[in-house]
Amino acid sequence: MNIILLGPPGAGKGTQAQRLVEAHGMKQLSTGDMLRAAVKAGTPVGLQAKAVMDAGELVSDEIVSALIGDELDALAPGQGAIFDGYPRTAAQAASLDAILEERGQTLEHVIELDVDEDALVERITGRFTCATCGKGYHDKFEQPKVAQTCDKCGGHDFKRRPDDNEATVRTRMAEYRAKTAPILPIYEARGIVSRVDGMGDMDDVTAAIEAVLGS
Ligand code: AP5
Ligand code: MG
């Protein structure tokens, strides 16, 4: 099963994708994570993407679609993909159709996380992750159970994203409204969109997504 998690910055795409990975062995394909890895490694893609990401704008369609194609080829046979933060434009949606068709695959669900944008700034500016395994946390909503120790891997290093400041978040939201929200009707016309309330407790959001997936 291949699914898209769609929603503005801070909607909970990454949080819910990590839970689906743990519950179902699916693979999280986050173009944001791939781009941050490229920036960290100093690859040509990373060098091109860094300033764009720091400004909260969108990286070019060609770059992100190439990243997705490579990652899909690395999936285990029969392993489902969770597209997190991709597609983000009409051109990327068309590329994803072509990429899946070339591989004989289909898209089963588009899950739209319905959220209140004003609350998202608090979510994003409080976010941090384990520098070792990538598990996500939040200053107010999800602290590690033991202070300064990752629940998942026991690591002690945590990091914050350079684009998680209020000014950049506002630009990212504007990009979402202008370029990403308009792709929803493409999937609505296919009858595969489910809207889930993303403002509830994390466990309630997970339960609502599981209900959509029929598991
Ligand atoms: P990307 O990494 O995709 O960032 P984003 O879309 O802005 O989304 P976020 O990762 O900020 O939010 P999320 O929905 O994953 O929320 P999370 O689960 O972490 O993209 C970054 C940049 O890369 C872009 O700006 C662009 O430049 C570039 N890029 C990436 N993909 C691209 C593409 N396809 N095309 C072009 N450019 C691209 O949750 C946030 C926080 O809230 C966490 O701390 C979490 O613990 C907490 N939280 C989550 N759910 C809840 C809840 N229900 N209640 C309370 N707290 C919660
Ligand atoms: Mg994310």
Side-chain angles (χ1 to χ4, degrees):
M1 184 188 288
N2 296 308
I3 69 170
I4 293 175
L5 291 181
L6 200 73
K13 304 181 293 292
T15 302
Q16 297 300 328
Q18 286 184 353
R19 290 171 171 222
L20 291 173
V21 167
E22 275 167 29
H24 302 290
M26 298 170 82
K27 173 91 172 168
Q28 176 186 8
L29 298 183
S30 158
T31 40
D33 287 348
M34 293 172 204
L35 289 166
R36 280 184 288 279
V39 169
K40 193 173 172 201
T43 65
V45 162
L47 293 174
Q48 238 180 302
K50 186 174 184 334
V52 181
M53 294 173 77
D54 285 348
E57 291 163 5
L58 292 187
V59 174
S60 82
D61 293 331
E62 292 72 24
I63 286 181
V64 291
S65 292
L67 290 172
I68 282 286
D70 291 347
E71 290 284 332
L72 270 181
D73 288 335
L75 291 195
Q79 189 179 24
I82 308 155
F83 297 101
D84 160 8
Y86 179 90
R88 265 172 143 100
T89 63
Q92 290 179 26
S95 294
L96 179 60
D97 283 344
I99 287 167
L100 289 173
E101 197 183 326
E102 273 166 23
R103 289 160 178 80
Q105 295 198 36
T106 50
L107 190 60
E108 276 71 32
H109 295 282
V110 175
I111 298 175
E112 183 196 6
L113 294 170
D114 190 20
V115 282
D116 165 10
E117 278 195 12
D118 289 333
L120 299 186
V121 175
E122 183 186 20
R123 278 198 193 175
I124 290 180
T125 50
R127 169 170 58 186
F128 62 99
T129 54
C130 171
T132 310
C133 73
K135 170 151 180 38
Y137 294 96
H138 192 277
D139 291 329
K140 187 166 162 191
F141 304 123
E142 198 187 7
Q143 283 275 1
K145 293 189 179 72
V146 177
Q148 298 301 318
T149 307
C150 177
D151 298 348
K152 190 171 167 193
C153 76
H156 299 295
D157 287 337
F158 296 90
K159 61 181 181 182
R160 291 178 191 261
R161 281 171 41 179
D163 60 343
D164 278 353
N165 57 76
E166 182 162 353
T168 307
V169 169
R170 299 274 177 208
T171 307
R172 283 155 57 195
M173 283 175 178
E175 289 281 78
Y176 179 83
R177 276 194 301 271
K179 297 172 186 164
T180 307
I183 70 175
L184 260 172
I186 299 172
Y187 299 113
E188 277 163 351
R190 297 181 199 173
I192 58 171
V193 175
S194 302
R195 179 174 287 195
V196 162
D197 177 9
M199 289 314 296
D201 181 84
M202 284 181 214
D203 291 342
D204 293 341
V205 179
T206 305
I209 293 175
E210 293 288 3
V212 170
L213 303 185
S215 47

